Amino acid sequence: MKSDAVKTGMQQAPHRSLFNALGMTKEELERPLVGIVCSYNEIVPGHMNLDKIAQAVKMGVAMAGGTPVMFPAIAVCDGIAMGHIGMKYSLVTRDLIADSTECMALAHQFDALVMIPNCDKNVPGLLMAAARVNVPTVFVSGGPMLAGRVKGQKRSLSSMFEAVGSYAAGTMTEEDVCEFENKVCPTCGSCSGMYTANSMNCLTEVLGMGLRGNGTIPAVYSERIKLAKHAGMAVMDMYRKNIRPRDIMTKEAILNALTVDMALGCSTNSMLHLPAIAHEIGFDFDIAIANEISAKTPNLCHLAPAGPTYMEDLNEAGGVYAVMNELNELGILHTECMTVTGKTVGENIANVKNKNPEVIRPLDNPYSKTGGLAVLKGNLAPDGSVVKRSAVVPEMLEHTGPARVFECEEDAIAAIKGGKIVEGDVVVIRYEGPKGGPGMREMLNPTSAIAGMGLGSSVALITDGRFSGASRGASIGHVSPEAAVGGPIALVEEGDTIHININENTITLEVSDEELAARKAKWQPREPKVKTGYLARYASLVTSGDKGAILKGGIN
């Protein structure tokens, strides 16, 4: 056992004395030590139930012959952090989570791990750590929130943000907003649409690192507790069989995740997290591969905010495995990949039925013949940009309009709510990238304001920042290179014409090469927005959005 390094032999007598201080018995020390990495806290709604999940996991581990030992991972609530300096601290926690988990796991020589994440950055951060530590590991999330109900319709957090925009436009009363406020988030759990948290928890199933239902069983269902117990049992089976994360998270598994991402219509943030996870296993993930996969992958689901269905509906329809089984008829999945069940992807998804063709459309009736995400390139984004194509209305798949340029998110929101943005405009928000932000803030407030003001089918938004999974519309993020390093987005001037063609995967600033070169010669780097603390250190180390905003200096 790996843990023998801290508990076996005369040299380890001092170590055993500290285990005695923990109240551990000789019998417990004779078993494998299993780290339970729990993201429980009392500020994130998706994490307030993780103490119960952790207790269920510990019971499963103990029943299967292991000794469970819990330690924490941090978590930021993106919704609460949205629209102020707090959002600068969201993406950056992904690397803190990975680094701190690596430290804890290796410092204490755990034989196996169970990861308990739920919301946005915990899932990829812990997947990155799992790849680094590479001991048998199973994931079990806290589960999605149930949809709220307002005036007889299912609603979610994106509806709440858009309600604020509607109030600013004068189309919703304060009483209406208050009703949304009290009803859209009715339970614990990760917010109920196909936002980033649920996207990544679903993709954990696809990667093979979570059991069936990890991404879709609602947080408040007792089935979630049973899943947690089974996760504890499963990790002990993996330990006995010596199945490790790098046996599971292969290049082929990551390509599977990207394929199912296209079918589900996941958050654009998956195009930051999948490259970062790929980096940990030594796979150089080029985001342009998304267009190749999209071209052969139909979009089968329109979950909120793209459509009227929610995570609970996907769960009842058969979940992620049902989507995978539909796709498998096209032969576009690597079914030989190993999973935490000890079985292959093909064995896991065999005979899983699609129980609701309105939630998971069959192959002969997709929402579109191509996938939910697209990578756009052109002279405005030479290294790429990302859009959630499945959440764009048809009339905005191609759009030409004048640039309305803003140097930060706050200025853009003020202009949108002040009625200064009109039909046809292309809102450009720059210096919000990984370095420039720093921290690459999500732009849910401006996208929601655009939708709430009734401009969602006529205004585009382009940024070197990123978008919440709750954003919808022609919202194009991750523009690379970013403004802070002199990317072309830094050279855009008010009134320049921008042409977007999502069908052709292009984004073009209609300015001559000569004029762009002249602007570039005059451009000067800006003073960093943050000069001290963790954000300053992060800005000095982070790479561009197209590389997954990974930190320089890591060695696989």
Side-chain angles (χ1 to χ4, degrees):
M1 285 186 283
K2 187 182 183 76
S3 60
D4 285 348
V6 295
K7 64 185 188 182
T8 301
M10 186 55 66
Q11 288 295 322
Q12 279 65 44
H15 305 67
R16 289 194 296 276
S17 71
L18 293 168
F19 282 111
N20 286 334
L22 290 169
M24 282 202 183
T25 65
K26 179 175 178 291
E27 290 80 4
E28 286 175 297
L29 290 179
E30 289 172 350
R31 295 179 169 195
L33 289 182
V34 181
I36 313 300
V37 189
C38 182
S39 302
Y40 169 77
N41 65 41
E42 295 181 339
I43 190 64
V44 184
H47 290 234
M48 64 182 284
N49 64 322
L50 297 191
D51 55 341
K52 295 177 177 61
I53 299 294
Q55 291 304 316
V57 168
K58 290 172 71 175
M59 185 174 292
V61 168
M63 285 192 294
T67 297
V69 184
M70 186 167 61
F71 64 89
I74 63 168
V76 164
C77 177
D78 278 23
I80 295 174
M82 194 71 66
H84 55 88
I85 191 173
M87 183 44 68
K88 294 179 185 289
Y89 285 92
S90 172
L91 178 62
V92 305
T93 64
R94 185 186 70 186
D95 295 274
L96 278 175
I97 291 160
D99 292 348
S100 59
T101 302
E102 173 193 351
C103 291
M104 288 293 288
L106 295 180
H108 302 102
Q109 292 291 286
F110 288 105
D111 296 297
L113 298 167
V114 179
M115 307 293 200
I116 309 176
N118 209 27
C119 292
D120 297 27
K121 311 310 167 298
N122 294 80
V123 188
L126 291 177
L127 285 165
M128 291 161 67
R132 287 184 205 171
V133 177
N134 203 35
V135 297
T137 303
V138 175
F139 277 64
V140 56
S141 77
M145 184 183 292
L146 293 178
R149 291 183 182 272
V150 182
K151 301 186 190 314
Q153 290 187 310
K154 286 186 177 181
R155 297 291 189 180
S156 61
L157 184 65
S158 55
S159 308
M160 183 70 253
F161 277 89
E162 290 176 15
V164 175
S166 298
Y167 176 76
T171 59
M172 188 174 281
T173 67
E174 185 174 347
E175 290 75 19
D176 288 333
V177 174
C178 185
E179 184 176 6
F180 271 77
E181 182 180 330
N182 288 314
K183 292 182 177 179
V184 296
C185 296
T187 73
C188 63
S190 47
C191 296
S192 55
M194 188 54 83
Y195 310 145
T196 306
N198 292 327
S199 295
M200 293 309 301
N201 282 321
C202 286
L203 296 186
T204 298
E205 280 191 61
V206 184
L207 284 169
M209 291 297 293
L211 299 174
R212 182 183 178 186
N214 178 69
T216 60
I217 297 171
V220 294
Y221 283 13
S222 298
E223 190 67 24
R224 174 65 55 178
I225 300 296
K226 292 165 66 177
L227 182 75
K229 292 175 183 175
H230 283 129
M233 298 176 202
V235 81
M236 293 309 299
D237 187 53
M238 289 179 70
Y239 171 76
R240 286 186 285 269
K241 294 176 179 175
N242 196 29
I243 300 173
R244 299 168 181 255
R246 288 193 179 212
D247 300 324
I248 295 170
M249 288 192 285
T250 60
K251 174 182 176 180
E252 291 74 19
I254 289 173
L255 294 177
N256 279 347
L258 186 54
T259 299
V260 179
D261 183 311
M262 294 295 174
L264 286 170
C266 291
S267 164
T268 51
N269 282 312
S270 63
M271 293 301 290
L272 282 174
H273 301 322
L274 288 177
I277 296 163
H279 176 74
E280 296 291 342
I281 66 164
F283 170 27
D284 186 10
F285 186 107
D286 181 350
I287 63 169
I289 197 174
N291 290 337
E292 298 174 30
I293 290 178
S294 176
K296 59 186 179 182
T297 308
N299 177 225
L300 304 180
C301 299
H302 265 195
L303 292 106
T309 53
Y310 293 80
M311 296 306 297
E312 61 204 64
D313 302 313
L314 179 59
N315 187 62
E316 294 303 317
V320 175
Y321 278 18
V323 176
M324 294 175 73
N325 205 28
E326 287 279 356
L327 294 177
N328 197 37
E329 292 184 27
L330 295 175
I332 57 176
L333 293 179
H334 297 277
T335 55
E336 75 286 355
C337 292
M338 180 52 62
T339 73
V340 294
T341 66
K343 299 178 181 178
T344 65
V345 166
E347 290 173 316
N348 284 344
I349 67 174
N351 303 315
V352 177
K353 302 298 183 184
N354 176 0
K355 299 176 182 178
N356 189 337
E358 296 300 314
V359 175
I360 305 170
R361 287 199 173 181
L363 296 177
D364 60 3
N365 183 35
Y367 283 100
S368 65
K369 293 182 179 180
T370 54
L373 296 180
V375 172
L376 313 185
K377 288 191 174 184
N379 67 344
L380 184 52
D383 294 336
S385 59
V386 182
V387 63
K388 188 171 182 176
R389 187 204 323 246
S390 60
V392 179
V393 294
E395 55 265 39
M396 288 298 290
L397 290 172
E398 185 170 1
H399 179 76
T400 301
R404 304 298 309 280
V405 182
F406 301 94
E407 310 300 319
C408 67
E409 177 189 7
E410 289 82 357
D411 291 349
I413 292 170
I416 296 164
K417 291 186 176 179
K420 296 179 181 179
I421 302 301
V422 299
E423 290 186 10
D425 283 348
V426 179
V427 176
V428 176
I429 305 177
R430 61 192 180 192
Y431 293 97
E432 290 284 7
K435 283 185 179 293
M440 204 177 186
R441 288 194 288 181
E442 287 187 342
M443 300 289 153
L444 179 55
N445 272 349
T447 58
S448 298
I450 287 170
M453 297 286 283
L455 298 170
S457 60
S458 60
V459 169
L461 195 156
I462 298 171
T463 182
D464 52 7
R466 60 195 178 93
F467 294 107
S468 165
S471 293
R472 61 186 176 101
S475 304
I476 300 161
H478 309 191
V479 170
S480 300
E482 64 174 290
V485 298
I489 192 172
L491 311 178
V492 180
E493 295 182 358
E494 184 80 7
D496 283 349
T497 299
I498 294 176
H499 179 67
I500 301 162
N501 192 327
I502 296 173
N503 290 324
E504 298 294 329
N505 302 320
T506 60
I507 182 167
T508 307
L509 177 63
E510 295 189 346
V511 173
S512 69
D513 292 344
E514 292 77 15
E515 173 63 17
L516 283 177
R519 293 181 188 180
K520 177 72 175 185
K522 297 176 183 177
W523 179 82
Q524 294 291 325
R526 301 200 170 196
E527 280 286 311
K529 294 177 184 176
V530 179
K531 298 180 181 179
T532 60
Y534 179 62
L535 286 179
R537 186 161 70 251
Y538 179 88
S540 72
L541 294 172
V542 72
T543 61
S544 64
D546 69 296
K547 300 298 184 187
I550 59 174
L551 301 185
K552 292 179 286 188
I555 299 174
N556 290 317

